[in-house]
Amino acid sequence: QEERLRKIVKYCYEKVPIYKRKFKRAGITPDDIRTLDDLEKIPFTEKEDLRKAYPYGMLAADLSDVLELHASSGTTGHPTTCAYTKSDLNVWAKVMARIYASAGTRKGDIVQNAYGYGLFTGGLGFHYGALEIGATVLPIAAGETERQLSLAKEYGTTILACTPSYAAYLGRYAREKMGINLAKKLKWKSGLFGAEAWSEELRERIEELLGLEAFDIYGLSEVIGPGVSVECSEHDGLHIHEDYFLPEIIDPKTGERVKERETGELVLTTLTREATPVLRFRTGDTTLLKMDECSCGRTLLRMGRVFGRADDMLKVRGVKFWPKTVEHALLRVNGASENYEISIQRPEELDIMNLRLEPSKELFESVGGDLSKLQTLAKEVEEQVKSIVGVKANIELVPYGTLPRFMGK
């Protein structure tokens, strides 16, 4: 790590003007960064730095050496550029092969890649990793749900890769629209789910609906795409590929490092990235680090499951929380589906949290669609949200099937 850190710091200083300016303002040179402890001397890289540098301001390699370009969605501002040299693509394939291996993927497996292909890095990242490990890949991308299910059966796919919300949707669609229990009909043994924060309760539902073992994966376009970390079979945190991505956890307010297992913002440094390297990039994702040895035998440290993005955090009457926490609460109630919508209103001085929720299809049909008969469900959800999240929510039950479903991220 230290050898690669010294090399990448010097490389960024010489190749990316923004880093030379940051170092000069901080009064340091690359020679000041010798050990991992020296990392704290380097100023953070913010998402805004990448936006201002769009399209090629963060490019460290010659454009002629760039083989692939991706761009973030730009939903919270200008898009950011993610470029890859041949070496970067090789690294991406290698870390993604590790992702697959952690979920038990081997040569002979058939991967159903239902992540979106295109500027979003999910689809191609999972594609390259499948090829690297020697598995067969079905590049079906997101959407076309009935075709997803028919091809899964016809081709005998064994590994599913998609967002967790789409995995749950596949299971529900098969059971409710087609009368099929996927756990009995398909050969899926493992699922690799990421690109969204999701709860342990949703994992349990996905595993029950699909009959597979669900693995959480983590990555972000600014660093590599998917491939930064993955759960092992112990499901006690996600192993970070720290020979390529150097992690830190900081207090988001002070920028100071926090102690092991303390929650904070994840900061990542790319140790080998050639095209668009980043030093101490503030991901905006909230998690913690676990340094103790994992019983799976891997020596890579682990990060906890991501609680949420800092810019996704909600605040109601002084209480801060992530949507995933609400999901955690409502899915503990029998009869509540995983389809919900949160809205916050501020008509005057006080915040009001509204939670629109679909009951499960079975419960909805058992009362003939009469939601007035399900007030006990609404009351139980309200009590769970108040207990776990710490805020009162106005619960509105809506007919099953009325809230939007999402095929992609």
Side-chain angles (χ1 to χ4, degrees):
Q1 285 178 331
E2 289 185 339
E3 180 183 343
R4 288 182 171 182
L5 176 62
R6 289 190 289 269
K7 185 176 179 181
I8 199 69
V9 165
K10 187 172 185 291
Y11 179 73
C12 288
Y13 182 83
E14 293 175 350
K15 300 290 186 178
V16 185
I18 187 175
Y19 283 121
K20 182 168 286 189
R21 293 195 297 269
K22 282 180 176 288
F23 274 50
K24 287 186 175 179
R25 284 198 296 266
I28 59 173
T29 70
D31 292 335
D32 294 314
I33 312 302
R34 308 300 301 167
T35 70
L36 296 183
D37 289 336
D38 293 329
L39 189 62
E40 289 184 275
K41 299 175 183 178
I42 300 174
F44 294 113
T45 304
E46 309 273 355
K47 187 73 174 274
E48 192 59 28
D49 293 326
L50 275 58
R51 291 185 181 126
K52 289 179 178 178
Y54 181 83
Y56 293 130
M58 294 295 294
L59 191 62
D62 291 333
L63 189 55
S64 61
D65 291 326
V66 172
L67 300 186
E68 194 164 305
L69 288 167
H70 288 263
S72 69
S73 60
T75 51
T76 56
H78 290 295
T80 59
T81 299
C82 314
Y84 300 79
T85 64
K86 184 175 183 179
S87 174
D88 294 334
L89 291 176
N90 289 338
V91 168
W92 198 12
K94 183 175 182 178
V95 294
M96 285 304 300
R98 294 180 184 178
I99 296 279
Y100 278 112
S102 293
T105 313
R106 300 290 183 267
K107 185 176 182 180
D109 277 313
I110 303 176
V111 175
Q112 184 159 341
N113 187 4
Y115 281 101
Y117 281 71
L119 292 180
F120 171 58
T121 53
L124 283 170
F126 274 90
H127 188 102
Y128 296 149
L131 298 181
E132 179 73 12
I133 206 168
T136 303
V137 60
L138 179 67
I140 192 168
E144 298 188 82
T145 298
E146 289 202 12
R147 191 166 185 237
Q148 294 270 3
L149 298 173
S150 63
L151 289 182
K153 186 173 187 300
E154 292 160 6
Y155 283 114
T157 58
T158 55
I159 307 293
L160 175 65
C162 65
T163 62
S165 58
Y166 190 50
Y169 179 73
L170 283 170
R172 288 289 182 197
Y173 188 94
R175 182 172 294 186
E176 296 165 4
K177 299 290 181 67
M178 304 171 70
I180 298 172
N181 184 341
L182 296 184
K184 296 180 179 179
K185 292 291 185 181
L186 300 183
K187 295 182 179 179
W188 289 340
K189 63 180 183 180
S190 300
L192 288 159
F193 308 125
E196 301 167 343
W198 52 303
S199 64
E200 195 64 28
E201 287 74 16
L202 185 56
R203 183 212 297 273
E204 293 172 4
R205 291 214 174 176
I206 290 171
E207 291 184 334
E208 186 270 325
L209 285 167
L210 303 184
L212 48 66
E213 185 177 1
F215 291 81
D216 192 12
I217 70 103
Y218 175 78
L220 63 165
S221 297
E222 293 83 2
V223 173
I224 190 72
V228 172
S229 63
V230 64
E231 285 182 321
C232 63
S233 56
E234 297 296 318
H235 300 287
D236 183 26
L238 291 79
H239 290 278
I240 299 177
H241 301 134
E242 55 177 324
D243 46 343
Y244 293 103
F245 317 109
L246 192 59
E248 305 170 81
I249 300 291
I250 64 165
D251 182 320
K253 292 183 179 178
T254 66
E256 299 294 322
R257 286 184 182 175
V258 302
K259 295 179 181 178
E260 179 189 353
R261 290 183 179 263
E262 280 189 12
T263 299
E265 181 181 355
L266 177 65
V267 173
L268 291 169
T269 295
T270 58
L271 292 176
T272 62
R273 189 80 180 264
E274 288 185 343
T276 46
V278 288
L279 303 177
R280 304 196 79 198
F281 178 71
R282 295 186 62 158
T283 67
D285 291 323
T286 303
T287 184
L288 50 81
L289 293 182
K290 302 177 181 182
M291 308 291 189
D292 57 308
E293 185 176 335
C294 181
S295 45
C296 79
R298 289 174 178 81
T299 56
L300 298 167
L301 62 77
R302 289 162 292 153
M303 57 183 276
R305 296 183 76 181
V306 171
F307 295 105
R309 290 190 57 80
D311 49 10
D312 287 339
M313 181 180 279
L314 302 173
K315 184 176 181 181
V316 175
R317 301 190 183 190
V319 178
K320 295 179 179 179
F321 59 93
W322 284 276
K324 190 183 83 166
T325 313
V326 178
E327 177 179 280
H328 167 70
L330 67 89
L331 288 185
R332 296 179 62 157
V333 179
N334 289 331
S337 80
E338 61 275 2
N339 303 306
Y340 64 96
E341 180 181 84
I342 303 168
S343 64
I344 309 298
Q345 293 178 312
R346 295 187 175 93
E348 295 178 358
E349 292 82 9
L350 294 178
D351 305 327
I352 298 173
M353 175 178 166
N354 302 301
L355 177 59
R356 302 179 75 211
L357 170 68
E358 293 180 11
S360 67
K361 185 172 186 287
E362 298 80 7
L363 182 58
F364 181 65
E365 291 178 345
S366 72
V367 296
D370 186 355
L371 295 174
S372 65
K373 296 180 180 179
L374 298 180
Q375 292 313 301
T376 300
L377 172 65
K379 187 66 176 174
E380 288 181 17
V381 171
E382 180 184 321
E383 290 173 354
Q384 281 288 344
V385 171
K386 182 69 169 67
S387 172
I388 293 174
V389 182
V391 298
K392 182 181 182 301
N394 296 326
I395 310 300
E396 178 191 356
L397 296 179
V398 298
Y400 185 81
T402 55
L403 294 178
R405 269 62 166 168
F406 298 95
M407 304 298 108
K409 183 174 179 180

